[in-house]
Amino acid sequence: MSRKEPHIAVVSINRDKYSETFIQNAFDALPGRKTLLYGGYLPTHFTHDWRREGSEIPAAKAGFWVKKPQNEQEQQEYNLRIWLRDHKVDLILANYGPSGVAMLPVSKVLKLPLIVHFHGYDAYRSDILGSYGREYPALFAACKAVIAVSENMQCQLISLGVPPEKVHTYIYGVEESRFMQQPMPDGPMQFGFVGRFVEKKSPLLLIEAFARVHAQLPEVRLRCVGDGELLEASKALAKQLGLTHAIEFLGILPPNAVAEFISRCHVLLLPSQSPASGDSEGTPLAILEAAMAGRPVVTTRHGGIEAVVTDQVTGLLVQPGDVEGFAVAMLQLATDPDQVKNLGQNAAERARRDFGNKSYHQKLIDLIRRWSS
């Protein structure tokens, strides 16, 4: 007799945010019945396909045996409880710690297993730890499992109170068929950046470092994919430094276009560092995508990066915030195409061995089946 797959409610703040393909891909990989609940930490909408706009979770009237909700949050919690009960959901997978906190009262009343998947800022950022983080001990005590995306994050979560036996470290996977290894492009060095233009990704440092390389090698180019609060400041800095002809800002691209973009670059750049908020990288997906495509990276010793990039083997690592060091590493690769090729080949071999989507998704599926059976 075949196994009956559980009905999983996957909770996500957003439905189709361009920088959260790891959530979308994992949702697609789950077998059986699944529903995406989205619209905030305490979700307001549901859909069975994240590519399509869903429906609002309907308001539920309290019966005579239920205390009438006293505010909007209590009403939404009650709406969710009724929806989850009526749709016979077997387990809740909450993406991000604050979503886990928001869903905890709902899961407790329904006695539904709760798994919480941390991704980055939710484990580090001071404002999150000072607000939702106060509820983390209760969350960790009640949930069935906690997922980290790097060993660095695993240590951080244990320091925040997760029992070691509850935390599982699953590094993201990459779709091999999309990010296929291709020959290096011809012509001058093309550097690429894929990520949000936020302080943690250090786009201004990136442009300053590129300016130093460009001063010695005027033919090099930098192309950037993404959006964020520092995009306009980044464009302004490029203009101030006289680099508008050498730096291209492409905005947000869909996943297939990102794969094509990476294939047209020689080297991917990601100068991550911890901002004043204390935020930190988990495991940046763009680094894994570049590796799968056979492209080395210049990046920093930050968060979970050192676990997936080996210095001088699959890429180059420098200290966070070191503009000069980052520029030197870029210049080293810009003047040594053989090293670029060798690092890229090493990165591709490791990515195919360790960072495929199937492995990440199977671990996630096995954990869900364990707690929903």
Side-chain angles (χ1 to χ4, degrees):
M1 180 180 292
S2 62
R3 172 194 293 268
K4 180 183 177 182
E5 295 291 356
H7 182 187
I8 308 303
V10 178
V11 179
S12 177
I13 308 165
N14 312 288
R15 177 175 62 86
D16 64 345
K17 188 174 181 181
Y18 78 95
S19 60
E20 294 181 338
T21 54
F22 45 87
I23 294 176
Q24 298 152 15
N25 291 339
F27 182 86
D28 286 342
L30 293 178
R33 301 174 62 201
K34 53 200 173 186
T35 303
L36 183 70
L37 304 179
Y38 66 96
Y41 291 138
L42 192 65
T44 57
H45 289 69
F46 71 95
T47 182
H48 302 297
D49 182 352
W50 61 265
R51 299 168 185 80
R52 299 177 182 274
E53 185 68 51
S55 302
E56 188 171 1
I57 295 170
K61 293 183 179 180
F64 66 88
W65 63 90
V66 176
K67 180 182 176 182
K68 183 178 180 180
Q70 299 299 302
N71 53 50
E72 185 177 347
Q73 177 173 326
E74 287 188 5
Q75 180 65 57
Q76 187 57 30
E77 288 179 0
Y78 184 68
N79 296 344
L80 280 164
R81 294 205 318 260
I82 299 303
W83 190 96
L84 291 166
R85 183 200 67 186
D86 290 351
H87 288 79
K88 296 181 172 56
V89 167
D90 297 297
L91 180 143
I92 299 169
L93 173 62
N95 287 284
Y96 296 105
S99 290
V101 170
M103 293 300 294
L104 182 58
V106 177
S107 70
K108 278 187 171 182
V109 171
L110 295 176
K111 296 183 172 58
L112 282 177
L114 174 64
I115 295 175
V116 187
H117 198 320
F118 282 75
H119 293 285
Y121 77 87
D122 47 344
Y124 297 100
R125 216 170 70 193
S126 57
D127 59 332
I128 294 295
L129 297 183
S131 52
Y132 289 96
R134 295 176 181 175
E135 304 300 322
Y136 280 1
L139 174 65
F140 298 152
C143 71
K144 296 300 183 183
V146 172
I147 300 172
V149 298
S150 69
E151 292 182 2
N152 179 280
M153 183 185 289
Q154 176 181 326
C155 294
Q156 169 71 355
L157 290 172
I158 290 173
S159 76
L160 293 175
V162 179
E165 67 273 12
K166 280 191 177 183
V167 65
H168 305 264
T169 299
Y170 301 157
I171 295 175
Y172 298 131
V174 177
E175 188 175 342
E176 297 178 52
S177 61
R178 176 176 288 163
F179 293 90
M180 297 175 62
Q181 185 178 2
Q182 298 185 35
M184 288 289 175
D186 296 327
M189 171 64 66
Q190 299 283 332
F191 290 112
F193 168 85
V194 178
R196 291 175 297 123
F197 282 75
V198 295
E199 190 177 358
K200 178 172 66 175
K201 305 290 185 179
S202 304
L204 300 180
L205 182 153
L206 173 66
I207 293 171
E208 291 177 7
F210 176 77
R212 300 183 185 196
V213 176
H214 185 268
Q216 297 188 53
L217 300 173
E219 71 277 10
V220 301
R221 295 293 181 263
L222 171 62
R223 304 176 74 221
C224 303
V225 170
D227 196 359
E229 60 198 40
L230 292 180
L231 176 58
E232 293 308 315
S234 299
K235 290 179 178 179
L237 179 59
K239 182 177 181 180
Q240 176 187 333
L241 296 174
L243 294 172
T244 54
H245 68 289
I247 302 179
E248 187 176 7
F249 298 93
L250 301 174
I252 298 171
L253 297 179
N256 285 338
V258 170
E260 182 180 356
F261 168 82
I262 290 176
S263 73
R264 293 181 179 179
C265 298
H266 294 91
V267 176
L268 200 76
L269 309 174
L270 187 62
S272 298
Q273 62 179 321
S274 292
S277 67
D279 196 3
S280 180
E281 296 280 12
T283 297
L285 190 60
I287 286 179
L288 304 183
E289 292 170 343
M292 191 68 76
R295 300 299 183 260
V297 295
V298 176
T299 185
T300 52
R301 302 180 185 277
H302 167 81
I305 292 174
E306 283 189 272
V308 295
V309 178
T310 303
D311 189 33
Q312 303 293 331
V313 178
T314 64
L316 301 183
L317 292 170
V318 300
Q319 290 303 116
D322 184 358
V323 177
E324 181 61 27
F326 208 84
V328 168
M330 291 171 63
L331 190 62
Q332 177 180 327
L333 295 187
T335 55
D336 191 345
D338 288 338
Q339 185 180 25
V340 172
K341 183 178 179 179
N342 291 336
L343 293 176
Q345 181 61 37
N346 293 341
E349 290 174 0
R350 184 181 180 191
R352 287 195 294 269
R353 184 183 70 241
D354 298 336
F355 305 134
N357 245 349
K358 290 182 180 179
S359 175
Y360 166 62
H361 290 156
Q362 191 58 55
K363 291 175 183 176
L364 187 60
I365 291 167
D366 289 345
L367 187 66
I368 288 171
R369 284 175 173 163
R370 173 184 171 187
W371 289 111
S372 60
S373 58

